[in-house]
Amino acid sequence: MNDHSQLKPVCFMVMPFRKRQVAGPVRGDAPKEIDCDALWDKAFKPAIEKAGYLAIRADFDTGSVIVLDMFQRLAFADLVLADVTLPNGNVYYELGLRHAARETGCIMLAAEWSKQLFDIEQLRAVQYPLADGNVPDEQAAAIYKTVLGQINHRKDNLSPWHELISGVRNDDPSRSAFRESAEKLSAFQADVSTVRKIEDKGRKREKLADLRNTLSDSALNIKEVAIEILYLVRDELGWQETVEFIESLPNSIREIPLIEEQRLL
């Protein structure tokens, strides 16, 4: 019989495998391709094992019910590392499941040059150096050191779901605030749909200007509203009007990376 007190904790690695093309937004110079297997073999797996964990990753599944295996590992693993360097749908989905499944024990990793998609770009990821996608020994050693140093430092951090949502009671004021915000957002989106359906360009520009003028400052503090208007202004009025609209936004909204990116364009 196994002595369970001597068993190593399990770390499940969520990442692409084999060679993958670099796609999506990046910062600065990025390699054209990443050898994900080399990244695992030379950096991630050794760091996980050095930290005292049994290291496994998704492509090691051998059972016929692969989805069930994945669910179990995300729910029961003591630690999950998720590499979000590439905008991979499977990785994003599995990361979300883990955030909801366990209060702690999930760490996001990403190459220094990568930019995450909107839904997770505000979540903090451990950044590691990866100038060469073939992961030469010198870079593998630097990645190993970075990941190893952060595992014990971050493994007990609360997931975003459990930190912000799961403890909310039925009588919590934030529920009422959510309802009020949802009603405003629904009405606004109906107005936007009306503007989009107008075929006459001149009339569409006029209705867009009317919609923009009716929005209160508090409405523009809702990022979904600000982004929706931004895209409409950009597509229908032009870049000069887009920049002017961005400059009129509250500081907290103007500093959202997606909006800042549009301003720089």
Side-chain angles (χ1 to χ4, degrees), residues 189-207:
Q189 289 176 343
D191 291 338
V192 169
S193 294
T194 299
V195 172
R196 284 202 193 102
K197 293 175 182 177
I198 299 174
E199 295 185 1
D200 181 82
K201 290 291 186 181
R203 186 162 175 263
K204 178 179 284 191
R205 291 169 65 95
E206 180 182 327
K207 288 296 183 181

Side-chain angles (χ1 to χ4, degrees), residues 83-242:
D83 188 344
V84 295
T85 296
L86 303 178
N88 182 282
N90 289 340
V91 171
Y92 274 51
Y93 176 64
E94 293 172 33
L95 173 65
L97 287 176
R98 175 63 180 201
H99 278 167
R102 295 284 292 268
E103 290 188 9
T104 60
C106 185
I107 302 173
M108 290 167 46
L109 310 174
E112 291 174 340
W113 43 258
S114 70
K115 288 184 65 177
Q116 284 62 63
L117 299 182
F118 181 77
D119 285 347
I120 66 168
E121 69 178 347
Q122 298 178 58
L123 306 181
R124 181 174 298 178
V126 174
Q127 295 187 327
Y128 59 83
L130 186 64
D132 187 334
N134 292 315
V135 197
D137 291 345
E138 182 178 350
Q139 284 193 31
I143 297 168
Y144 165 91
K145 182 178 180 181
T146 298
V147 174
L148 179 60
Q150 291 295 323
I151 286 177
N152 287 332
H153 179 63
R154 295 177 181 254
K155 66 183 178 64
D156 294 324
N157 290 356
L158 286 175
S159 80
W161 170 264
H162 288 279
E163 182 179 11
L164 301 174
I165 301 296
S166 65
V168 175
R169 304 184 310 276
N170 286 335
D171 61 349
D172 193 290
S174 63
R175 286 183 177 268
S176 297
F178 162 75
R179 177 68 188 186
E180 181 180 351
S181 175
E183 290 175 348
K184 290 180 179 179
L185 186 57
S186 177
F188 166 75
Q189 289 176 343
D191 291 338
V192 169
S193 294
T194 299
V195 172
R196 284 202 193 102
K197 293 175 182 177
I198 299 174
E199 295 185 1
D200 181 82
K201 290 291 186 181
R203 186 162 175 263
K204 178 179 284 191
R205 291 169 65 95
E206 180 182 327
K207 288 296 183 181
L208 174 55
D210 290 343
L211 175 59
R212 168 65 185 89
N213 291 333
T214 60
L215 291 175
S216 65
D217 290 341
S218 61
L220 291 175
N221 269 302
I222 302 173
K223 67 177 184 296
E224 294 88 351
V225 172
I227 291 170
E228 195 70 64
I229 290 292
L230 168 62
Y231 284 144
L232 276 174
V233 170
R234 182 196 66 185
D235 296 341
E236 301 300 333
L237 301 183
W239 283 108
Q240 181 61 42
E241 291 84 352
T242 301

Side-chain angles (χ1 to χ4, degrees), residues 42-94:
K42 298 172 69 175
F44 290 159
K45 186 172 184 286
I48 292 167
E49 292 177 337
K50 181 64 174 177
Y53 290 84
L54 179 67
I56 59 174
R57 69 169 178 162
D59 66 312
F60 280 21
D61 285 319
T62 57
S64 59
V65 189
I66 293 181
V67 172
L68 176 59
D69 293 340
M70 181 262 290
F71 285 166
Q72 289 176 335
R73 291 172 185 178
L74 290 170
F76 301 144
D78 300 279
L79 177 67
V80 168
L81 300 184
D83 188 344
V84 295
T85 296
L86 303 178
N88 182 282
N90 289 340
V91 171
Y92 274 51
Y93 176 64
E94 293 172 33

